[in-house]
Amino acid sequence: MIQKGPRSARHRAATVVLVFFLMIGSFVAGGISTSSLAAAENPTEFAVFWEAWDLVIAHFVDREKVDFRSMTYGAIEGMLATLGDEGHTAFLSPDAVQQHESSLEGEFEGIGAYVEMRDGQITIVSPIDGSPAEKAGILPGDVILGVDGENVEGRTLNQVIGLIRGPADSEVVLTVRHPDTDESVEIVIIRGRIELESVNWTLIPGSNLAYVQITQFGTKTGQELETALRDIDELRQSGSSVQGLVLDLRNNPGGFLREAIKVGSQFLPRGEIILQEKDASGKVDSYRSRGWGYGRELPLVVLINEGTASAGEITAGALKENNRALLIGETTFGTGTVLNQFNLSDGSAILLGVTNWLTPKGNLIKGQGITPDVMVELPAGVVQLNARRISEIDPAALSDIEDLQLQEAIRQLT
């Protein structure tokens, strides 16, 4: 649901990791408190910007390269970068706004890969299962060096995404360096239309466990999870031996906050705190479980990693601090601001952090992330299993899977 104000459109949502089809994440809308900073409508420091602008207009030699829109957008991006809310507070061009809004509906066009900035390098977190990126040979941990022959060193994440995105059936060539190698390779990818179900599940062969993966917190995630858990519950009622559940939140970039509340409510008793929000004045609001779930009885293990962000971190933190689940994997991304989307007059938008969110026990997620109870790292280039791949495993080979995080989850539950 979008609530429109005189100058902004606000989405209840949570976000972080960016996707090459421009699933730039989503937003959490919170209350906006008026700060004394807002009083400085025309700070004296801003005069220097206009001095620089006028000098460029008057003297820059390559006149054909003077683009007012690009200069303006670049200035906005630079301003937001100084706020230090990396990977969250951001500027969206008009095209990015449109593609972002379609991404949370579960349909988009592009190569289909989760990506983040790591140590100044554009890095693949994971290709989406069945995506053009995966089919072309893109691997977790790949570093993107170039796009269509253009070096991307020094470019921002959004700028590289702008180079890579494009319509279905069009071609893009990525120059990448695979994990644990020094050599670069060129990979040709034909962009496609990607349809992404936010919840997938299967029974784990050779065990008495069910596996549920949440890929993002989209518009129907709560409903899809309820359906999956109801199906698992019906199996149990009909005599199935399901005795434990693995919830996979790895590489989940976030999404709508309301869906995170619904997900938490599937596993937690009514009234348990799922998250807290703290604004600049110190005011704290709590969001509690509604307690109408099908997942409150089975022993639960949650898988997390560096690509788990935003609403994924909210869910993991709530299940951990309410002693509902054991967390296995790696420390999460560390997104911690509640975002409002402010639409600008030309169709572009600013995603601006307006409050911080906290775990049920009041711990700040921003810059810290959620730490697992059992730390298990995956070697670079290892493909994490998902519902489809798990369903194809030979039960006799279950103990030999390369996905050590899933293997540890199975061990803990059995």
Side-chain angles (χ1 to χ4, degrees):
M1 177 179 179
I2 301 174
Q3 299 174 330
K4 294 186 177 180
R7 297 184 62 186
S8 68
R10 304 176 184 177
H11 290 217
R12 268 281 175 196
T15 329
V16 152
V17 183
L18 302 182
V19 187
F20 277 151
F21 41 69
L22 206 66
M23 178 178 154
I24 297 192
S26 344
F27 333 103
V28 179
I32 304 175
S33 60
T34 302
S35 165
S36 59
L37 293 174
E41 294 183 2
N42 295 294
T44 56
E45 293 84 356
F46 201 65
V48 177
F49 170 80
W50 288 117
E51 290 177 21
W53 180 282
D54 291 341
L55 286 171
V56 170
I57 302 305
H59 301 293
F60 186 65
V61 62
D62 296 326
R63 311 303 295 170
E64 71 280 1
K65 294 184 178 179
V66 176
D67 184 323
F68 292 161
R69 171 171 288 190
S70 296
M71 290 166 63
T72 301
Y73 286 179
I76 296 173
E77 289 177 339
M79 175 184 67
L80 297 180
T82 67
L83 302 178
D85 192 15
E86 185 177 357
H88 216 208
T89 290
F91 172 76
L92 303 182
S93 68
D95 288 344
V97 171
Q98 293 179 7
Q99 293 193 40
H100 163 72
E101 290 175 351
S102 66
S103 72
L104 283 175
E105 298 296 330
E107 295 184 0
F108 25 78
E109 295 183 353
I111 71 169
Y114 298 105
V115 61
E116 67 184 23
M117 183 72 77
R118 292 181 183 172
D119 300 324
Q121 296 180 315
I122 309 297
T123 306
I124 298 290
V125 176
S126 176
I128 293 173
D129 186 41
S131 67
E134 183 189 56
K135 294 176 181 177
I138 294 293
L139 301 174
D142 280 352
V143 174
I144 299 174
L145 305 174
V147 180
D148 288 332
E150 182 176 344
N151 191 317
V152 298
E153 183 179 1
R155 290 182 176 267
T156 67
L157 192 58
N158 283 344
Q159 288 171 340
V160 176
I161 288 171
L163 295 174
I164 294 175
R165 70 172 181 249
D169 300 322
S170 62
E171 179 182 288
V172 62
V173 180
L174 299 188
T175 304
V176 305
R177 184 175 65 244
H178 289 315
D180 300 327
T181 67
D182 295 324
E183 298 180 0
S184 62
V185 296
E186 289 190 347
I187 298 180
V188 179
I189 305 175
I190 305 299
R191 302 179 181 98
R193 183 157 189 82
I194 300 164
E195 297 183 5
L196 182 65
E197 292 183 353
S198 63
V199 177
N200 298 283
W201 79 277
T202 188
L203 297 177
I204 300 178
S207 75
N208 55 2
L209 306 176
Y211 168 92
V212 177
Q213 180 186 34
I214 302 179
T215 60
Q216 66 165 330
F217 288 78
T219 56
K220 298 180 180 178
T221 298
Q223 176 183 332
E224 292 176 5
L225 178 63
E226 179 180 346
T227 299
L229 293 175
R230 185 189 296 120
D231 290 344
I232 294 170
D233 185 65
E234 289 177 355
L235 283 176
R236 296 180 65 216
Q237 299 299 328
S238 63
S240 171
S241 60
V242 176
Q243 297 178 14
L245 180 66
V246 178
L247 177 64
D248 195 345
L249 298 178
R250 293 176 296 180
N251 301 327
N252 185 314
F256 290 108
L257 176 60
R258 67 166 186 262
E259 300 304 312
I261 303 300
K262 293 178 182 178
V263 168
S265 296
Q266 289 292 330
F267 298 104
L268 294 171
R270 181 178 179 84
E272 296 287 353
I273 295 177
I274 293 177
L275 83 150
Q276 303 179 70
E277 286 184 2
K278 185 176 183 179
D279 65 19
S281 69
K283 179 185 176 183
V284 176
D285 292 318
S286 297
Y287 295 83
R288 297 178 180 271
S289 170
R290 299 164 186 173
W292 25 315
Y294 289 87
R296 289 177 291 169
E297 296 181 4
L298 285 173
L300 179 65
V301 165
V302 178
L303 298 180
I304 56 174
N305 65 2
E306 293 178 346
T308 306
S310 191
E313 293 175 288
I314 288 172
T315 302
L319 296 176
K320 177 182 180 179
E321 294 193 357
N322 284 293
N323 298 314
R324 176 61 186 91
L326 183 76
L327 270 54
I328 293 175
E330 301 163 89
T331 301
T332 61
F333 186 87
T335 305
T337 50
V338 178
L339 292 182
N340 272 0
Q341 178 180 335
F342 295 88
N343 290 340
L344 304 179
S345 58
D346 68 341
S348 61
I350 290 177
L351 312 184
L352 193 64
V354 295
T355 65
N356 288 324
W357 67 65
L358 313 173
T359 66
K361 294 183 178 180
N363 295 313
L364 184 67
I365 298 177
K366 183 177 181 179
Q368 308 295 322
I370 303 297
T371 57
D373 299 296
V374 181
M375 180 72 72
V376 179
E377 297 182 356
L378 283 188
V382 171
V383 176
Q384 298 162 2
L385 297 183
N386 54 31
R388 178 183 61 81
R389 295 189 181 104
I390 290 172
S391 67
E392 298 170 351
I393 293 176
D394 182 341
L398 187 62
S399 61
D400 298 325
I401 59 175
E402 292 185 332
D403 188 340
L404 301 180
Q405 294 167 343
L406 176 61
Q407 189 179 100
E408 178 63 17
I410 294 171
R411 190 186 73 82
Q412 291 284 349
L413 284 170
T414 57

